Amino acid sequence: MAPHTRLIQEIHKRSLWQVLGLYVAGSWIVIQVVATFVEQLFLPVWVFQGTLVLLAIGLPILLTTAFYQKGLRTRPEAVRSGWRSLFTWRRALAGGVLAFALLGVGTAAWLSARTLGIGPAATLVSKGALEDQAVVVLADFHAADSTLARAATEAFRVDLSQSRVVRLPADQSITAALRRMQRPSGGLDAETARELAVREGWPAVASGEINPLGEGFVLTAQLQAAETGEILASRRVDARDDGELMEALNRLSRGLRERIGESLGGLRSDPPLEQVTTGSLAAFQTYSQARAADLAGEHERAIVLAREALEIDPEFAMAWRLLATVLGRPGSRADSEVIEALVRAFDLRERLTDRERYLVEGDYYREVLEDRVRATAAYENLLARYPRDLGGLINLSLERDHARDWEGGVELVERALAVDSTIYQSYGMLTIFRVNLGQLDSAWETIERLRRNLPGHPAIVGVSTTAAVAGGDLEFALALVEDTATAYPMGPVWTAERRMRLGGAMGRLEDAGRHRRDLQDLFEQQGRMADAFRTALGEAMQEAIVRRNPAAALRVIDESLDRYPLEEMAPADRPYIMAGGPPLVVALSLAGDAGRAREMLERYQREVPREEIEEVDMSRALAHVLISEGRPDAALEELRGATNNCVYCDLVAFARAYDAAGPPDSAAVAWARLTEVPWFGKLTWDQFWLGPALERAAELYDELGDLENAAKYYARLVEVWAEADADLQPRVRVAQTRLEQILEEER
């Protein structure tokens, strides 16, 4: 007997209520199975809805069949032959199987059509109307309330940024394109967005509107072909009130993404906007204003607005991330504030999109924990999912820099430029890597690429100065810096800092001191006391290193400690051993106060959380203390293996240790290497060490009888210090005299 025949016989034996119970139980099982298939196999939602409809239709059919079949058994004379033949269990089961089979066939046909680009189920990508990974320009939403429009645009951007099918151009790309179009960068209406897309070769433009409808809103969005203006896709959703706007924007964006060709699985795996952003529309509106201010270069206003958004919603993860980003910009705020914001963003990282979460994790591991392994893993995970993500490519290149893998950094930044050639940071990083590799010709070629793609951008001056210093052309670098005061203003801090450093490197200490005082005043006005203190320590370093006056150096240190008490700074901001500028421990060591230098090193270890201590910088600082204590061999042991991307920092410590320990040949090589290393950040330390290193290398080679190298470094010292201050000129004349004697001897 066939299985379905036995099933029919069993049903015949059951009462109406038993049949109903069996149907309800069977329906529950079917619903669970279909729901699992929809979830795991990423079937369209209407498959589940269709299942519910079929089960709902089947229920009255089942009850009617059960009624007639029961009547047939108890009162066969009361049942019409027509109904008896229509409502049979065999027909009911066959109809149910057929209905679900048709649903399955329809689902398979729909999925096939969607994939193959056939019929109404086809997506824009599958039918070739849009390429995979196409760049889509997002125009500003249109709404009567401009603040609401900005917030809606930002929310839409957040959701579209999760797409694995299309890409949004970087903000810098749009700014650069608008500059070339001679248009203001404050907004991007649909018409301007389309013109921009056509000029840049981007294929599509997304735009939207929010219109009031009673107490609610109607939201529409469309995707338009840039070249032809054809509407490729459109969606409309409703929101009953302000409270539903975030959820409505989420539905609107995902509807558009599905039509473009986003996988159903990808859409379901992405958290909704209200989870990755904020449940407060007011907080999101303020956040949107903060982001707009940051993009416009109004960083102080961006900081204020980001904090206002966080007052409204303290658990707004994206606002914490934005605050950390803006505070971390050069010349913005102290490290402690950046760390605090990154910690808060990290704690709330589950409320971020995948892209932003990986970036926050990477930044947290790098900046807060100094854990480069986990930072690298975070950026690599981001690129595994989004191989063309600019943030991932550039941040991972920074990790390659830290590991001195500059070839790897070049590969990553070139990938970033292939994605978008208008991001000035990419050119800056590529210039740095080329300089660090000693490829100065390639560095200048990179700068020329920047000049062609972003004509007139202030970054051209910045990277050109870096390359000029690396090539030893300090006068040209100074001329570039002077140009920034008029043609390409880089800001008073940048200009004063570069003037100070170049003046120091060329022995013009009086000029350097004047610019140092200007820089201190600027930092004090901004409330950046740690930066002002670190700047003041530069004078102590120059007194100790260049003028060879340790007593004057100690006097400057004491005056600076009185003016900028360490107790009034956050522990993480106190410049005990920081590599970004003159550290207190090293300044005290060079000034000959080994006792206080060690005391400050121990304070650093007590006051700064262990996870925030950079072990490499710690080893270098300890090495300088050991040298000042008369223990150069112990310093050399401490330095071995303690390296990161600060090549110059290593060479300074090694040169001092070798010079103190002897023999002179190792010291001569180290001092000479210090003057020639093509490191992008060498100007930070050349202001103290370039002249003295040239002088010491020449003296040591002279002692060793290597007159060729002695003459080389004497000549270079005479050139660099040609216009040095009067108190340095006697040493220049000594070098000139000895150079002439060597040249005379070699004739």
Side-chain angles (χ1 to χ4, degrees), residues 697-707 709-710 714 738 742:
E699 292 169 349
L700 289 169
Y701 278 123
D702 209 351
E703 290 177 22
L704 292 165
D706 186 346
L707 298 184
N709 273 319
Y714 279 131
R738 183 55 187 145
I742 293 173

Side-chain angles (χ1 to χ4, degrees), residues 616-635:
V616 174
D617 291 336
M618 182 73 184
S619 292
R620 288 201 198 99
L622 178 56
H624 283 286
V625 174
L626 291 168
I627 294 168
S628 66
E629 291 175 340
R631 301 165 60 193
D633 290 328

Side-chain angles (χ1 to χ4, degrees), residues 492-607:
V493 169
W494 188 92
T495 303
E497 195 172 60
R498 294 308 183 279
R499 285 170 169 166
M500 174 190 73
R501 291 175 178 178
L502 284 165
M506 291 186 283
R508 303 169 190 176
L509 304 188
E510 293 298 329
D511 284 345
R514 185 173 65 256
H515 295 307
R516 178 177 293 107
R517 288 187 290 275
D518 291 342
L519 193 56
Q520 282 180 248
D521 291 341
L522 286 169
F523 285 144
E524 288 180 10
Q525 291 166 15
Q526 297 173 8
R528 297 165 56 184
M529 297 308 170
D531 288 328
F533 181 33
R534 188 163 40 246
T535 302
L537 287 177
E539 183 180 354
M541 298 275 282
Q542 283 184 334
E543 289 292 346
I545 300 167
V546 185
R547 287 198 168 110
R548 302 173 179 173
N549 189 343
L554 284 175
R555 185 168 59 253
V556 171
I557 292 172
D558 290 335
E559 290 172 354
S560 300
L561 285 168
D562 289 339
R563 185 172 180 177
Y564 309 109
L566 293 174
E567 293 74 18
E568 295 181 6
M569 306 175 198
D573 298 336
R574 299 170 189 171
Y576 291 119
I577 69 169
M578 294 172 64
L584 179 57
V585 170
V586 175
L588 285 166
S589 299
L590 291 166
D593 195 338
R596 272 208 294 173
R598 182 168 285 280
E599 177 191 340
M600 290 298 174
L601 193 61
E602 292 170 353
R603 282 187 61 176
Y604 172 73
Q605 292 176 292
R606 289 195 308 269
E607 295 172 3

Side-chain angles (χ1 to χ4, degrees), residues 405-421:
D405 178 13
W406 296 309
E407 291 285 2
V410 167
E411 187 268 333
L412 286 165
V413 177
E414 288 287 13
R415 281 172 57 188
L417 286 168
V419 173
D420 193 330
S421 62

Side-chain angles (χ1 to χ4, degrees), residues 350-659:
E350 297 305 323
R351 296 189 64 182
L352 293 167
T353 66
D354 285 343
R355 275 192 167 102
E356 290 164 330
R357 178 168 57 82
Y358 285 128
L359 287 172
V360 164
E361 288 175 349
D363 293 348
Y364 174 82
Y365 294 137
R366 181 180 64 205
E367 303 295 338
V368 180
L369 298 187
E370 300 284 357
D371 188 334
R372 317 305 293 223
V373 173
R374 282 200 283 179
T376 298
Y379 300 133
E380 288 177 340
N381 287 336
L382 171 60
L383 291 174
R385 296 193 65 179
Y386 304 96
R388 297 167 65 88
D389 186 85
L390 289 169
L393 290 167
I394 292 174
N395 278 279
L396 185 57
S397 76
L398 292 173
E399 295 310 304
R400 296 287 187 264
D401 175 45
H402 188 269
R404 297 192 185 184
D405 178 13
W406 296 309
E407 291 285 2
V410 167
E411 187 268 333
L412 286 165
V413 177
E414 288 287 13
R415 281 172 57 188
L417 286 168
V419 173
D420 193 330
S421 62
T422 64
I423 308 300
Y424 77 88
Q425 291 96 329
S426 298
Y427 295 100
M429 291 302 302
L430 186 55
T431 303
I432 286 171
F433 296 142
R434 294 298 189 192
V435 165
N436 289 355
L437 288 165
Q439 301 169 355
L440 295 184
D441 288 343
S442 295
W444 284 109
E445 289 172 6
T446 301
I447 294 169
E448 185 56 34
R449 287 169 63 186
L450 170 59
R451 196 187 309 276
R452 286 196 308 269
N453 290 325
L454 296 171
H457 197 288
I460 296 169
V461 176
V463 295
S464 297
T465 303
T466 296
V469 170
D473 196 342
L474 301 182
E475 290 290 353
F476 179 51
L478 184 59
L480 288 169
V481 172
E482 295 301 332
D483 283 346
T484 65
T486 54
Y488 303 105
M490 295 285 286
V493 169
W494 188 92
T495 303
E497 195 172 60
R498 294 308 183 279
R499 285 170 169 166
M500 174 190 73
R501 291 175 178 178
L502 284 165
M506 291 186 283
R508 303 169 190 176
L509 304 188
E510 293 298 329
D511 284 345
R514 185 173 65 256
H515 295 307
R516 178 177 293 107
R517 288 187 290 275
D518 291 342
L519 193 56
Q520 282 180 248
D521 291 341
L522 286 169
F523 285 144
E524 288 180 10
Q525 291 166 15
Q526 297 173 8
R528 297 165 56 184
M529 297 308 170
D531 288 328
F533 181 33
R534 188 163 40 246
T535 302
L537 287 177
E539 183 180 354
M541 298 275 282
Q542 283 184 334
E543 289 292 346
I545 300 167
V546 185
R547 287 198 168 110
R548 302 173 179 173
N549 189 343
L554 284 175
R555 185 168 59 253
V556 171
I557 292 172
D558 290 335
E559 290 172 354
S560 300
L561 285 168
D562 289 339
R563 185 172 180 177
Y564 309 109
L566 293 174
E567 293 74 18
E568 295 181 6
M569 306 175 198
D573 298 336
R574 299 170 189 171
Y576 291 119
I577 69 169
M578 294 172 64
L584 179 57
V585 170
V586 175
L588 285 166
S589 299
L590 291 166
D593 195 338
R596 272 208 294 173
R598 182 168 285 280
E599 177 191 340
M600 290 298 174
L601 193 61
E602 292 170 353
R603 282 187 61 176
Y604 172 73
Q605 292 176 292
R606 289 195 308 269
E607 295 172 3
V608 176
R610 185 68 189 171
E611 63 270 14
E612 296 177 17
I613 292 179
E614 173 64 69
E615 295 295 341
V616 174
D617 291 336
M618 182 73 184
S619 292
R620 288 201 198 99
L622 178 56
H624 283 286
V625 174
L626 291 168
I627 294 168
S628 66
E629 291 175 340
R631 301 165 60 193
D633 290 328
L636 287 168
E637 186 64 30
E638 184 68 31
L639 288 169
R640 293 189 176 98
T643 60
N644 61 12
N645 66 329
C646 185
V647 181
Y648 206 116
C649 308
D650 294 338
L651 287 171
V652 167
F654 272 112
R656 288 192 68 216
Y658 282 131
D659 210 349

